[in-house]
């Protein structure tokens, strides 16, 4: 099986001045994940590595760069899933750690549970020796500005929530195993303790070797209502291509509950798709040693992996 990785940096509205950073961030993440796969690594390792790269990138609403809740704090959600065994690990409303996706993987591998939240997740992180990061370290100037703006009496937080920036990755490795990973800081100015789709299996992501893997982004409550990730895999089980399955599910979410979003998909044959109903979604994929990436509908750049790695070393 030829390995494939697809990543997204969130669906929504990406402001002009942020486009280049978002594009570079998804390309870097896809290349890192692909390097893991090329060296014989598992799909699980590849999606974790790709998502970790985006959590560390302040352009995205995950890890460092996460949006703030109503109290001005970062609370993050993440999920990872193994398509071979259907094992999954997730964390929700976690604070003060740099890489929630790493903690989600530890939940999957070191506990009998699938989801740990808030204080319990914090205790587990301590027990696993995950270093604590001061909350301030995860907050960017942009997130703080947006939070302040949303506190103004005539502000409309809904407007700002269109620029969502959840991150995710899906992959298939040389053994034909699939995996997904998704991580987010959630919605700006959300209520304390609000958990969206990301940490919910079947909504924020799903992976099953029998059909494929998907990671979602967009309006969390809408995604949960239609259980978007599992819906896409259901369509593929009925014989749809990744692209048609993604478009059909996104269209259903839009018509049924008025929700917009984006998805990345890989099926068990290694065919992939990156589709969205929002204005934009940053995405990148590597297959057959070729890198594809874009942000706008219909936009698709192609480079060889060697060329992409060379320009990555030169600073993109």
């Amino acid at each position: 099986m030829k390995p494939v990785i697809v990543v997204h940096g969130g669906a929504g509205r990406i402001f002009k001045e942020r486009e280049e950073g978002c594009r570079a961030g998804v390309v870097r993440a896809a290349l890192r994940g692909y390097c893991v796969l090329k060296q014989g690594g598992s799909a699980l390792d590849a999606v974790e590595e790709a998502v970790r790269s985006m959590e560390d990138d302040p352009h995205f609403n995950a890890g460092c760069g996460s949006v703030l809740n109503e109290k001005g704090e970062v609370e993050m959600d993440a999920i990872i899933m193994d398509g071979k065994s259907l094992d999954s690990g997730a964390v929700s409303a976690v604070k003060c750690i740099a890489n929630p996706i790493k903690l989600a993987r530890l939940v999957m591998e070191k506990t009998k549970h699938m989801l740990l939240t808030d204080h319990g997740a914090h205790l587990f992180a301590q027990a696993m020796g995950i270093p604590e990061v001061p909350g301030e370290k995860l907050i960017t100037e942009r997130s703080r500005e947006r939070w302040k703006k949303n506190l103004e009496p005539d502000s409309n937080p809904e407007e700002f929530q269109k620029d969502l920036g959840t991150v995710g990755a899906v992959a298939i490795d040389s053994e034909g195993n699939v995996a997904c990973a998704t991580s987010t800081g959630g919605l700006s100015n959300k209520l304390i303790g609000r958990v969206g789709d990301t940490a919910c299996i079947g909504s924020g992501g799903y992976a099953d070797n029998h059909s494929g893997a998907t990671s979602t982004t967009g309006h969390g409550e809408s995604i949960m209502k239609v259980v978007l990730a599992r819906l896409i895999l259901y369509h593929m089980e009925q014989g749809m291509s990744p692209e048609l399955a993604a478009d059909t599910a996104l269209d259903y979410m839009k018509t049924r509950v008025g929700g917009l979003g984006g998805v990345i998909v890989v099926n068990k044959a290694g065919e992939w798709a990156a589709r969205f109903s929002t204005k934009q979604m940053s995405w990148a994929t590597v297959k057959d040693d070729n890198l594809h990436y874009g942000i706008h509908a219909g936009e698709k750049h192609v480079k060889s992996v060697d060329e992409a790695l060379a320009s990555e070393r030169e600073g993109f």
Side-chain angles (χ1 to χ4, degrees):
M1 186 80 213
K2 284 184 178 170
V4 181
I5 186 158
V6 195
V7 308
H8 70 75
R13 181 183 55 190
I14 299 167
F15 295 106
K16 202 89 191 126
E17 69 274 13
R18 301 181 54 73
E19 275 188 20
E20 204 171 311
C22 289
R23 218 177 256 122
V26 288
V27 164
R28 185 179 306 116
L31 290 171
R32 285 197 183 164
Y34 191 65
C35 286
V36 170
L37 293 170
K38 280 297 268 190
Q39 288 158 13
S42 68
L44 265 179
D45 288 341
V47 294
E48 182 186 350
E49 179 59 35
V51 166
R52 204 155 34 162
S53 164
M54 292 184 285
E55 286 176 338
D56 293 340
D57 186 330
H59 283 93
F60 302 111
N61 173 17
C64 173
S66 289
V67 297
L68 311 185
N69 66 14
E70 58 178 354
K71 271 267 173 68
E73 300 167 333
V74 165
E75 283 186 316
M76 302 166 289
D77 306 331
I79 192 167
I80 193 165
M81 185 166 182
D82 178 0
K84 188 179 181 181
S85 58
L86 302 191
D87 286 340
S88 173
V91 291
S92 65
V94 296
K95 300 175 183 152
C96 302
I97 61 165
N99 298 111
I101 200 65
K102 186 177 180 190
L103 189 59
R105 177 133 186 212
L106 287 168
V107 170
M108 176 173 83
E109 293 181 343
K110 304 287 185 194
T111 77
K112 292 191 173 84
H113 307 311
M114 288 173 78
L115 171 61
L116 291 181
T117 192
D118 196 1
H119 184 57
H122 176 71
L123 293 176
F124 176 66
Q126 283 180 326
M128 290 289 112
I130 290 199
E132 208 168 307
V133 178
E136 289 295 306
K137 269 242 161 79
L138 301 172
I139 298 175
T140 58
E141 199 43 53
R142 180 168 169 265
S143 293
R144 199 186 299 280
E145 283 305 308
R146 177 191 290 194
W147 173 70
K148 281 185 188 154
K149 255 203 172 76
N150 285 340
L151 292 178
E152 291 167 10
D154 56 349
S155 84
N156 176 11
E158 299 288 305
E159 252 321 286
F160 283 93
Q161 286 166 7
K162 288 182 181 149
D163 174 21
L164 290 159
T166 294
V167 305
V170 295
I172 186 164
D173 59 31
S174 53
E175 290 179 13
N177 294 316
V178 298
C180 71
T182 313
S183 181
T184 190
L187 292 179
S188 190
N189 296 64
K190 61 189 178 181
L191 293 179
I192 290 169
R194 177 264 186 189
V195 176
D197 64 297
T198 298
C200 300
I201 190 170
S203 292
Y206 202 82
D208 183 349
N209 279 7
H210 294 168
S211 46
T214 181
S215 167
T216 67
T217 167
H219 183 248
E221 280 70 13
S222 299
I223 289 170
M224 290 157 93
K225 286 175 186 176
V226 301
V227 197
L228 186 62
R230 190 65 189 86
L231 180 60
I232 291 166
L233 292 198
Y234 166 76
H235 288 320
M236 293 203 301
E237 286 159 4
Q238 305 306 302
M240 286 189 193
S241 68
E243 191 163 305
L244 184 58
D247 287 347
T248 304
L250 285 168
D251 189 51
Y252 175 71
M253 183 167 83
K254 190 175 177 179
T255 53
R256 186 71 178 87
V257 297
L260 300 179
V263 299
I264 50 172
V265 190
V266 66
N267 71 7
K268 62 182 180 182
E271 298 167 324
W272 63 274
R275 308 293 290 171
F276 48 99
S277 53
T278 51
K279 276 208 165 70
Q280 290 122 329
M281 179 178 82
S282 54
W283 62 272
T285 184
V286 187
K287 181 180 181 177
D288 293 329
D289 287 327
N290 278 321
L291 165 78
H292 307 250
Y293 61 97
I295 284 186
H296 301 274
E299 177 194 355
K300 189 175 180 181
H301 307 281
V302 185
K303 274 183 182 179
S304 76
V305 164
D306 291 342
E307 190 191 339
L309 284 168
S311 41
E312 176 68 23
R313 283 190 285 271
E314 289 156 22
F316 200 69

